[in-house]
Each structure stands twice: as structure tokens, then as C-alpha cells.
Amino acid sequence: FKNLKAGYTFMIGHPGKKLLFMGQDFGQLHEWDEKVSLNWEETEDPLHKDLQNYVKDLLHIYQKYPSLSEADDDWDGFQWIDCDDRDRSIVTFRRISRSGKELVVICNFCPVVRERYRVGLPKAGWYVPVLNTDEARFGGYGFMARPQKAEKEPYQKLPYSAEFYLPPMSVTYYRFQRAKPEAAE
């Protein structure tokens, strides 16, 4: 289920049209068949219910942040930060709205925690988490992503960078904010 949440969150973050078929929102165990009803009783199981709640929240995030859909077919709406870290199974990229607002997407597709993982960032300021697949309310380990301040340390062909803690099999969306968030240390 962690892998499925990471995959869905990557899909929603990545450019292109989105498609979830019947039963995929709660992780139906059998393949869809037009001759039988969906196994709605599976949503009584906590794993399936957590996935269903997660997909609902994920789709709300998709609606709330125009950077995820507004420039879906425009080169200016997407930029890879790093797509070559195959040894650690990590992918990072930016989604940018037509007005310039953006989300940074950090995907750890490995079942290993990555501490102090440096990511290149485009602007000075704070990167505040808006969605984290590892939150306890979604059936994760309960890691709560924290805002990270971009340092003037060029990395991955970008002028700033910050170190992030990446839970295993997780994806986190960060929004840019110039001013220090109230809850940040």
C-alpha cells in the first residue's frame, strides 16, 4: 500500500492526464470485471480505508494547487531537478503554474530511509510540505515533513539547495514560501 500511494502521488505530480479506474482508489484486490460489483467491503479493512482517504486528499491537493494541472501540456510547467539518481531510486522535479507558483516533488522509491538528502532548489526561501505519503493518518510510519530553508549552495544546476529527510517508499510535495513559516524552527 505504501508503494501504491507513492505511485499515485508520483502520477498526480507528473505531467499528463490522470486516470484511476474503478476500485483503484481503495486498492481492490481483484482485477476489475464488468460481470461483478466492486468489492466495497474491502474498504472496511484499515489498509484499504487509509488508501481511499489518501486518494481523496490527494485529489483535493490536485485541485488546490494549479501547478499540478495548469501547464500540463507546456514545457514551462515542468522541470526535472534530478532524474538520474537510480542508485538510490530517488526522483525530484518541479511543477510550475502559469503564474509562477510551484511545487517541488521528492520521490523516494526505495524501502530505505534517506537522511539529509540534498535537493537543488530554484529560489531562496522556505519549502513547506503540503502532502506526505508517510503521515500516520494515511497509514504511514508517521514521519511529519518539516519546512526546509533553501541555502545559497548551488546543487543540481540550481542556485540553492536544502537537505531533506526522505521516509522509505514516500513522496512529498513542497510549496515555495519566501517568508519563514510560523511553525519552522
Side-chain angles (χ1 to χ4, degrees), residues 2 132-136 138-144 167-171:
K2 288 183 183 311
N132 171 19
T133 62
D134 197 57
E135 290 182 33
F138 300 133
Y141 294 115
F143 169 74
M144 296 300 294
M169 300 304 299
S170 69
V171 177

Side-chain angles (χ1 to χ4, degrees), residues 82-137:
D82 186 8
C83 62
D84 293 322
D85 194 354
R86 63 189 156 276
D87 293 337
R88 292 183 280 188
S89 301
I90 297 174
V91 174
T92 53
F93 57 89
R94 298 168 58 206
R95 289 303 308 273
I96 307 153
S97 72
R98 296 193 197 291
S99 67
K101 291 184 179 178
E102 67 181 82
L103 290 179
V104 170
V105 179
I106 304 175
C107 311
N108 179 8
F109 292 120
C110 196
V112 174
V113 172
R114 303 293 183 192
E115 295 185 44
R116 302 183 68 183
Y117 186 84
R118 186 161 293 279
V119 175
L121 299 167
K123 301 174 188 172
W126 290 83
Y127 289 80
V128 181
V130 297
L131 181 71
N132 171 19
T133 62
D134 197 57
E135 290 182 33
R137 67 186 172 120

Side-chain angles (χ1 to χ4, degrees), residues 59-74:
L59 294 175
H60 286 296
I61 293 290
Y62 183 73
Q63 289 179 318
K64 182 177 179 177
Y65 291 94
S67 58
L68 292 172
S69 61
E70 197 175 77
D72 217 24
D73 60 352
D74 186 342

